[in-house]
């Protein structure tokens, strides 16, 4: 804790920690719904589409995250509409989204003259470079996502576990799914500064599957996931700063370590219970 208190006297570290905590919370909340809908790779696909939006912004000389927002939202909504109208399997539509986003991004990069330092930081993330504008954007995103999820909570849960029942009960499932996809899109774009395009799915998936293994209720699982995610980002940022490591990689490895510890602990508990029963 003393290390954290020493670091927060610096402005860049204050911005990094505040933005990282906000990002970890909204990614855990949105990610739990995606994981339970079996759309774990949707975040990864959106990140690759965001890559094409970032490339477009750098190509035309516009702040890249703004173009990433527009491209990701339009692509996500478009693919969702296509999937509903043509009955394309979810994993297939996600694959189309992922590969097309990556292909467009590569083409735009080649036209604009190759990789730049700014593009490199967006690909791999660098939370220590968060500016005041980035922090404001992240906090605004959190202020939008969390209240909307709270308002739609019961409806989203019903859709996840029984979409047909949700339709029968009179819910506008298409509209709610579209709104959720938009929320997921802006969450992904806001998170790029933390772990970058290539590692964004880790924030969506790892804390949630770790929390789900504990077998708690939906709300408890969400809170556990948020707690694990917040711990991982704070610990990862602090350790990476003192050891001169890349923050994004350190954060993801911290999450993976917690996941592995949970698996090992759970297996040991199961074996111990078996031994007790046999005796």
């Amino acid at each position: 804790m003393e290390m954290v208190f020493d670091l927060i006297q610096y402005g860049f570290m204050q911005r990094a920690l505040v933005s990282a905590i906000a990002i970890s919370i909204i990614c855990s909340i949105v990610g739990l719904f995606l994981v339970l809908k079996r759309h774990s790779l949707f975040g990864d696909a959106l990140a690759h589409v965001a890559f094409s939006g970032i490339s477009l912004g750098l190509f035309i000389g516009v702040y890249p995250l703004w173009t990433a927002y527009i491209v990701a939202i339009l692509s996500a909504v478009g693919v969702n509409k296509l999937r509903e109208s043509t009955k394309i399997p979810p994993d297939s539509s996600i694959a189309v989204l992922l590969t097309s986003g990556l292909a467009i991004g590569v083409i735009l990069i080649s036209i604009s003259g190759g990789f730049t330092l700014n593009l490199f930081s967006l690909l791999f993330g660098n939370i220590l470079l968060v500016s005041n504008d980035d922090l404001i954007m992240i906090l605004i995103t959190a202020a939008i996502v969390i209240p909307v999820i709270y308002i739609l909570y019961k409806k989203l849960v019903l859709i996840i576990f029984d979409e047909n029942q949700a339709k029968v009960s009179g819910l506008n499932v298409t509209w709610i799914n579209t709104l959720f996809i938009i929320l997921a899109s802006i969450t992904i774009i806001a998170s790029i500064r933390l772990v970058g395009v290539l590692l964004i799915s880790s924030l969506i998936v790892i804390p949630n599957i770790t929390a789900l293994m504990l077998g708690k209720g939906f709300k408890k699982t969400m809170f556990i996931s948020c707690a694990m995610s917040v711990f991982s980002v704070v610990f990862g940022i602090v350790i990476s700063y003192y050891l001169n490591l890349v923050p994004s990689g350190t954060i993801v490895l911290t999450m993976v370590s917690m996941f592995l510890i949970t698996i090992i602990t759970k297996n040991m508990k199961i074996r111990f219970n078996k031994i007790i029963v046999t005796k």
Side-chain angles (χ1 to χ4, degrees), residues 17-279:
L17 290 173
V18 171
S19 58
I21 291 171
I23 287 169
S24 63
I25 291 173
I26 59 176
C27 279
S28 293
I29 293 173
V30 172
L32 182 57
F33 290 99
L34 288 175
V35 168
L36 291 176
K37 284 172 69 70
R38 301 186 183 278
H39 289 174
S40 298
L41 290 179
F42 190 70
D44 201 31
L46 280 177
H48 283 77
V49 171
F51 171 63
S52 66
I54 290 169
S55 303
L56 177 62
L58 294 173
F59 178 70
I60 63 178
V62 178
Y63 182 57
L65 290 185
W66 292 128
T67 51
Y69 270 117
I70 296 171
V71 171
I73 291 173
L74 292 178
S75 299
V77 173
V79 168
N80 187 59
K81 292 292 184 182
L82 179 66
R83 180 180 63 84
E84 290 181 348
S85 60
T86 58
K87 303 302 179 183
I88 297 176
D91 56 342
S92 299
S93 60
I94 289 173
V96 171
L97 194 64
L98 189 153
T99 54
S100 59
L102 186 60
I104 294 171
V106 170
I107 291 173
L108 290 174
I109 287 174
S110 64
I111 294 174
S112 59
F115 282 87
T116 63
L117 181 61
N118 192 26
L119 180 59
F120 188 84
S121 68
L122 290 171
L123 279 174
F124 296 98
N126 195 340
I127 195 65
L128 300 181
L129 296 180
V130 168
S131 64
N132 288 324
D133 291 338
D134 292 329
L135 177 59
I136 292 171
M137 180 186 70
I138 291 168
L139 292 178
I140 290 174
T141 302
I144 293 172
V145 172
I146 295 174
V148 174
I149 293 291
Y150 178 79
I151 293 171
L152 296 177
Y153 174 78
K154 292 183 179 179
K155 296 177 181 178
L156 287 171
V157 171
L158 179 58
I159 291 173
I160 286 173
F161 292 107
D162 196 338
E163 187 166 316
N164 291 327
Q165 179 60 39
K167 291 178 180 178
V168 171
S169 64
L171 290 182
N172 191 334
V173 174
T174 300
W175 181 86
I176 294 174
N177 279 335
T178 301
L179 180 58
F180 177 74
I181 286 174
I182 293 173
L183 293 177
S185 299
I186 64 175
T187 298
I188 296 300
I189 306 304
S191 307
I192 286 177
R193 276 296 185 193
L194 180 57
V195 293
V197 169
L198 300 181
L199 296 175
I200 196 70
S201 60
S202 60
L203 286 177
I204 298 292
V205 176
I206 299 177
N208 282 302
I209 60 174
T210 305
L212 285 168
M213 285 194 298
L214 299 178
K216 305 296 182 180
F218 191 92
K219 288 184 178 180
K220 287 184 178 180
T221 299
M222 183 179 291
F223 284 120
I224 293 171
S225 173
C226 289
M228 288 182 173
S229 188
V230 169
F231 171 80
S232 297
V233 298
V234 173
F235 181 81
I237 289 172
V238 173
I239 293 299
S240 66
Y241 179 80
Y242 281 103
L243 299 181
N244 195 26
L245 301 172
V246 178
S248 56
T250 310
I251 290 169
V252 174
L253 286 180
T254 302
M255 291 181 175
V256 172
S257 299
M258 296 180 71
F259 172 68
L260 294 176
I261 290 171
T262 303
I263 291 178
I264 294 171
T265 304
K266 187 174 182 180
N267 287 337
M268 290 178 62
K269 185 177 180 180
I270 292 173
R271 291 181 180 179
F272 178 76
N273 289 335
K274 287 182 178 179
I275 294 173
I276 296 298
V277 170
T278 55
K279 288 183 177 181

